[in-house]
Amino acid sequence: MTELYELYQQVILDHNKKPRNFHRMETASAKSEGFNPLCGDRLIVYVQLEGDQIKDISFEGSGCAISKASASLMTESVKGKSKAEIEALFKRVHQMLTAPPDTVIDVEGLGKLAAFSGVREFPVRVKCATLAWHTLNSALQGQKEPVTTE
């Protein structure tokens, strides 16, 4: 294992053990629930919007280490961003997660989200890593039905 992958693994373990923005948000202007039946991950994403930008974001729920760390890192990455910026960021994250393992990926600008670049080697875990993103997208679109990865 390379030093970079060891660092990435430490980032994921740290965010799983001590997730950031992990709490209910009573003043949320939007929220959505997500479920990954394959792994049992279940979370709720809360968003406080100010115009088109996310002023604050949090989540709560339970799931595997990848799911919880992904939600934690996502909340840190999208705070203060516009809906368009978030959509563009999710496209880059999704490409990183679903690219064939032998593809060279440009992780420039992804920050700590690059910690999930190794997930593409384990396709069954992609849904764990994307659940929070799909749930955030649902909240931003005002959907009321829970999101599922299936």
Side-chain angles (χ1 to χ4, degrees), residues 23-143:
H23 58 86
R24 176 184 297 261
M25 184 186 300
E26 299 297 337
T27 60
S29 52
K31 71 175 186 178
S32 188
E33 181 177 349
F35 179 54
N36 175 7
L38 195 63
C39 192
D41 307 319
R42 189 177 293 274
L43 56 86
I44 300 173
V45 173
Y46 301 93
V47 178
Q48 181 70 46
L49 291 167
E50 190 170 88
D52 192 37
Q53 290 188 316
I54 291 185
K55 179 180 177 186
D56 199 7
I57 182 169
S58 67
F59 76 102
E60 64 179 356
S62 61
C64 69
I66 292 174
S67 174
K68 190 181 284 184
S70 178
S72 176
L73 284 161
M74 178 196 75
T75 61
E76 285 191 324
S77 299
V78 302
K79 203 176 284 188
K81 289 191 169 31
S82 69
K83 291 179 181 179
E85 290 171 321
I86 293 166
E87 186 177 326
L89 182 59
F90 179 44
K91 282 184 181 175
R92 290 203 57 214
V93 169
H94 195 266
Q95 288 172 342
M96 174 184 70
L97 292 169
T98 57
D102 58 344
T103 303
V104 176
I105 297 174
D106 177 18
V107 294
E108 178 93 21
L110 290 179
K112 291 182 179 178
L113 293 171
F116 295 100
S117 62
V119 170
R120 65 187 172 145
E121 295 176 25
F122 307 95
V124 72
R125 304 308 248 168
V126 170
K127 292 179 181 179
C128 303
T130 59
L131 176 63
W133 290 93
H134 289 296
T135 308
L136 171 59
N137 187 45
S138 174
L140 293 176
Q141 292 182 4
Q143 296 176 355

